[in-house]
Amino acid sequence: MIAETHLLKHNLQKEIVRLKKEKNAVILAHYYQEPGIQDVADFVGDSLGLSQQAASTKADIIVFAGVHFMAETAKILNPSKKVLLPDLEAGCSLAESCQEPDFKRFLKSYPEHVVVSYINCSAAVKALSDVICTSANAVDIINAIPKEQPIVFAPDKNLGAYLAKKTGRDLVLWDGVCEVHDAFSLAKLLGLLNQHPSAKVVVHPESDASILGLADFVGSTSAMLGYVGSSKEKEFIVATEAGILYQMKKDFQDKIFIPAPAKQNNSCACSECPYMKMNTLEKLYDCLKHESPEIKLEHQLRERALAPIHKMLSITNKSRSN
Ligand code: 13P
Ligand code: SF4
């Protein structure tokens, strides 16, 4: 049975690789995707890396192995290309927490504020924003805004609180959280640290302040990989979605990675994003074969959502070339 499953997986992967060549398609995958998907992807990365790849690809078709807002961002950047998402229902609790009509009403109370939105939001919310950020460039984006300028930050209140502390700015926060990163258990993490006293704790900034308080390093998924790669330490407790552990173990085989435990008991004693895990190799194959489901966006909405994404990419390029 295990051999059969392995063969099925191998054949699917072979077919996916053949189809993507035949169709001049590129597969962009987030680190939270299942290992079999990461292995057939042309690029695996964090939200910033993925949007930079989407902005520069020469492929005719972009298959986004991630969640809806990521594929939608790729479509905003590439209106003439076909952008496919293996499961259109793959959403995001953060994006869901911030609906455009509510956000529009909220912003009426802050007419003088610059609106910075985390990339984990819908195109409609992006269209109401002045600049987008990801966890990898959020500090640079906030620091690029003049000190006297008040700021609204949406939709992640944990990331927002972390940024306020890190930049010394007083941010008005939208009340949203990621259901995965907000669910790490402080008590279980302290217990784990007791068992592994020399382990370094790496935490994603979407996590609650109590978890961030125990971090030796805070950063985006790519930054976490950079940190564990450059650290001399051997053991790491990783507080983000468990999919990243596949890449960590692959890249750093001499190190030990322990997933930070969630409050609820679940099958893997780790944290998995149910939306990211909606994509499977089978769905990826079907979507590439039938070129569906496809992301569609109305022209005017796309134009309005594009400006704050371009602003983010240009601030990031500038601050990284300095
Ligand atoms: P990054 O990979 O950009 O750090 O984002 C994490 C995340 O939760 C994506 O949904
Ligand atoms: Fe959204 Fe959280 Fe899942 Fe990322 S991990 S897609 S922020 S629900």
Side-chain angles (χ1 to χ4, degrees):
M1 187 64 181
I2 291 174
E4 247 174 60
T5 316
H6 184 74
L7 192 64
L8 188 68
K9 180 180 157 192
H10 181 71
N11 288 343
L12 268 176
Q13 287 178 316
K14 254 176 66 181
E15 269 307 285
I16 290 169
V17 171
R18 186 188 67 73
L19 278 171
K20 77 177 180 185
K21 273 196 198 124
E22 184 185 297
K23 294 175 183 251
N24 189 27
V26 67
I27 300 178
L28 306 181
H30 191 269
Y31 289 123
Y32 299 162
Q33 293 293 289
E34 62 170 58
I37 293 182
Q38 294 192 36
D39 284 343
V40 290
D42 297 279
F43 177 83
V44 186
D46 67 1
S47 307
L48 178 63
L50 289 164
S51 45
Q52 286 167 328
Q53 289 291 322
S56 64
T57 183
K58 299 263 184 300
D60 297 315
I61 298 177
I62 299 172
V63 186
F64 219 110
V67 291
H68 193 276
F69 76 82
M70 295 179 168
E72 197 173 56
T73 304
K75 184 66 184 176
I76 294 167
L77 286 160
N78 292 286
S80 61
K81 292 189 201 295
K82 208 172 238 185
V83 178
L84 309 172
L85 180 64
D87 190 326
L88 269 191
E89 298 296 310
C92 164
S93 59
L94 259 176
E96 274 303 302
S97 79
C98 191
Q99 297 297 321
E100 187 246 13
D102 305 332
F103 193 48
K104 207 172 184 171
R105 225 173 296 122
F106 176 81
L107 290 180
K108 286 212 169 96
S109 306
Y110 305 100
E112 305 300 325
H113 287 54
V114 160
V115 181
V116 181
S117 293
Y118 191 35
I119 198 163
N120 300 36
C121 64
S122 66
V125 167
K126 287 186 175 77
L128 294 173
S129 310
D130 295 298
V131 57
I132 301 304
C133 72
T134 74
S135 54
N137 61 16
V139 170
D140 291 339
I141 301 288
I142 300 287
N143 284 337
I145 300 169
K147 286 255 177 302
E148 61 286 359
Q149 175 65 60
I151 300 172
V152 164
F153 185 83
D156 188 353
K157 69 172 177 190
N158 287 340
L159 175 61
Y162 167 76
L163 290 170
K165 206 168 160 193
K166 187 97 185 152
T167 61
R169 302 291 283 267
D170 187 18
L171 308 178
V172 174
L173 304 180
W174 179 261
D175 187 12
V177 289
C178 156
E179 67 181 47
V180 180
H181 288 90
D182 198 51
F184 290 115
S185 159
L186 179 62
K188 287 186 189 173
L189 180 55
L190 286 168
L192 204 55
L193 262 172
N194 246 336
Q195 292 165 31
H196 304 270
S198 58
K200 294 286 164 200
V201 182
V202 291
V203 182
H204 194 280
E206 286 173 23
S207 311
D208 175 77
S210 63
I211 305 293
L212 285 163
L214 290 179
D216 293 291
F217 178 79
V218 178
S220 75
T221 48
S222 288
M224 285 177 168
L225 275 160
Y227 171 78
V228 300
S230 61
S231 168
K232 288 190 178 58
E233 303 298 330
K234 283 268 174 268
E235 213 176 6
F236 301 87
I237 297 175
V238 183
T240 191
E241 209 269 357
I244 188 82
L245 271 77
Y246 175 64
Q247 196 71 40
M248 287 180 169
K249 288 176 183 166
K250 199 162 125 184
D251 289 353
F252 311 109
Q253 292 176 12
D254 57 330
K255 301 195 178 195
I256 298 163
F257 301 103
I258 307 161
K263 285 174 196 148
Q264 299 292 322
N265 283 329
N266 56 17
S267 57
C268 71
C270 62
S271 288
E272 289 198 323
C273 172
Y275 313 103
M276 286 280 180
K277 288 339 193 226
M278 284 172 100
N279 295 324
T280 60
L281 264 183
E282 287 80 1
K283 287 183 197 170
L284 178 59
Y285 167 76
D286 282 342
C287 128
L288 192 48
K289 182 161 189 241
H290 303 294
E291 300 182 18
S292 167
E294 186 182 351
I295 302 285
K296 302 263 190 198
L297 259 182
E298 190 250 316
H299 174 72
Q300 278 192 346
L301 173 60
R302 186 199 82 84
E303 297 256 293
R304 286 189 291 125
L306 181 62
I309 298 174
H310 269 163
K311 193 153 188 191
M312 166 185 86
L313 293 173
S314 111
I315 294 174
T316 306
N317 286 343
K318 237 184 260 161
S319 60
R320 299 214 165 163
S321 63
N322 285 338

